[in-house]
Amino acid sequence: MINLYTAWISMLLGSVAGAVTGMFFYNKDFLGGYSSWRRRMIRLGHIAFFGIGLINLAFALSLQALGIAQTPAAASYLLILAAVTMPLTCYLSAIKPYFRNFFFIPALSTILAIILFVWRMYER
């Protein structure tokens, strides 16, 4: 159930982030121009809210559809970790490129969560 809340909160934050940055995107030089590192990271952070949010939503609905009563806790927490750390890493990387070195955290969290879920799905 927590992944369902995480999904919708993530999509709300993605909408807010898109609305805020969208107010400035008309300026072609905003954050260094369309192809600048900063602007790309801001766009990726905005989309990450939706992407990881949708993965959390799919996870929550799949548990229900497959009748898996006991939520695989590790997979659940890893997806929540990814929902927090992917946009955070994107926005921090826009401020200071050093933070790009931490993209392995949300990426690995997502990969491991999906592996655990698929394993649990075929285990039943």
Side-chain angles (χ1 to χ4, degrees):
M1 185 62 115
I2 192 164
N3 295 90
L4 196 58
Y5 291 119
T6 300
W8 286 109
I9 290 168
S10 185
M11 287 187 248
L12 173 63
L13 293 173
S15 297
V16 171
V20 170
T21 56
M23 291 189 303
F24 304 101
F25 279 169
Y26 70 90
N27 180 353
K28 66 180 181 176
D29 296 324
F30 178 62
L31 294 173
Y34 187 77
S35 64
S36 74
W37 170 261
R38 295 179 89 185
R39 190 161 170 168
R40 285 183 292 152
M41 287 298 100
I42 296 294
R43 286 194 320 260
L44 185 60
H46 157 66
I47 293 304
F49 278 120
F50 289 104
I52 306 295
L54 286 172
I55 293 171
N56 272 278
L57 181 62
F59 175 76
L61 296 177
S62 295
L63 290 175
Q64 185 179 24
L66 295 171
I68 299 174
Q70 188 174 11
T71 303
S76 176
Y77 295 136
L78 285 166
L79 287 176
I80 293 167
L81 177 66
V84 171
T85 58
M86 181 60 88
L88 181 63
T89 304
C90 292
Y91 288 117
L92 290 174
S93 295
I95 296 167
K96 193 166 183 107
Y98 167 79
F99 286 102
R100 75 184 189 288
N101 296 310
F102 295 99
F103 273 113
F104 75 93
I105 296 170
L108 193 57
S109 297
T110 305
I111 291 166
L112 289 175
I114 293 170
I115 288 170
L116 289 171
F117 174 72
V118 170
W119 185 355
R120 170 81 168 160
M121 188 173 57
Y122 285 108
E123 188 178 69
R124 24 181 246 107

